[in-house]
Amino acid sequence: MEKINLGLIGFGNVGSGVVKILRERKTFLSKKIGLEIEIKKICDKDRSSKRCITVDKNLFTSEASEIINDPKIDIVVELIGGIHPAKEFISDALKKGKNVVTANKALLAEHGRELFALAMDRGKNIYFEASVGAGIPIIKSLREGLVANKFSSIFGIVNGTSNYVLTQMSCNNSSFNDALQDAKKKGFAEKDPTLDIEGTDSAHKLILLAYLCFGKLVSLNDIFVEGISRVSLADINYAKELGFQVKLLAIAKKESGELELRVHPTFIPEGHLLSSVDGIFNAIYVSSDLAGNLLFYGPGAGQLSAASAVVSDIVDLAHDIKAGLFRPTLNIVPDEGVKKLRKFDEIESRYYIRFNALDKPGVLAKISGILAKSGISIASVTQKERRRASIVPIVMIIHEAKEKNLRAALNVIDRLNVIKEKSVAIRIEEA
Ligand code: HSE
């Protein structure tokens, strides 16, 4: 049976999971794919941590260059994460004529243009299934299963840490801080969860999804990103009273040639499929013209789940290598007619707004007068009884409004002397 040789850079949680699967399912896999996948070398700088599998020490090297420069290695798997030196390892591997598998969404989101161009130039591919939704086969589905489709939108819950925190707040009435501590204790959140909680990880994943759907590889600066650290328990509870769940959504929409991209906490109506995606689960809701609306759902993190995606990339590449195939459109996605990126100011949305105002006559009239001047129409309003030092929450749902008009109105409202705290505005999506 033909053998495909692999070099693995990074033997942490996912890397050791990959080795475990390739080792324990060796016969199963080779029967299924008609090829043998051989791990030739593993580069690991930290040999002291405990791993889920023991490996012959002769396989190890502490120098990635020993893998990159080994002419017998066909595929380089990069699983160290971060930008440097992962970027240099991948570039060097492509230059040495290797195909590459990576789970590194931050690297591809920030330097994908350069790396994909290099891969194209060298007639090689970079596969990255594990970079979004771990074991959920979203990348392969978008570029192969749905190849004949045009897409109009993607709504993704693509960060398990944030989703776990929001679920704890909603189901157990936990505060944001308690929920985050709980996530850390259970190993669902990193020691420093900033990238997850502040939305950057979701934005990186959105960049890759939008690239596959719309052929435009945007930069992080083109995306409005707001995380969940300012979502309060009060807003989660008002959302429920109003028939919504709050989720951190990564959104891409294409309308009349304009592409809008944003990540932010979002009110989703309770009946929507995404509203019941809880805990560390991820889900990506894709609207396509031929196959319709599709939901991809599953655990968005975890050793074996991510390793399952990496192994599927390895197998795909092994088939390509055996067949002498190079598929340029896997990495260079044709432009889907995006004429421009919509500025965030121009985005239109319905909103939930919570004002914290003094409880006295005329306050509501003042607020609604300012909103009316900005052309903003109120759909519903409730004054809550939960009074704190004569401050009451006024909860409003407004009809579709332009972001810039709403911001301008809130700036004026927040300067009124009857308004005692900064107002909260959360966008509503019906998907
Ligand atoms: N840190 C990510 C999450 C998983 O919390 O979903 C890896 O992409």
Side-chain angles (χ1 to χ4, degrees), residues 332-376:
I332 304 294
V333 183
D335 190 331
E336 278 301 323
V338 173
K339 292 192 199 88
K340 68 172 189 170
L341 298 179
R342 188 168 288 164
K343 289 209 171 66
F344 190 63
D345 267 1
E346 298 300 321
I347 282 168
E348 291 194 19
S349 171
R350 290 173 73 214
Y351 287 83
Y352 153 93
I353 309 172
R354 174 165 56 84
F355 301 102
N356 298 291
L358 282 185
D359 192 9
K360 56 187 233 183
V363 170
L364 198 52
K366 272 192 186 154
I367 293 174
S368 54
I370 294 168
L371 290 173
K373 258 199 200 150
S374 296
I376 294 167

Side-chain angles (χ1 to χ4, degrees), residues 103 105 130-134 158-163 188-190 196 201 205 280 282 300-302:
K105 59 233 130 198
S131 61
V132 183
V158 286
N159 187 264
T161 307
S162 300
N163 204 44
F188 298 150
E190 307 274 347
D196 294 313
D201 175 73
K205 291 166 179 167
I280 59 150
N282 279 195

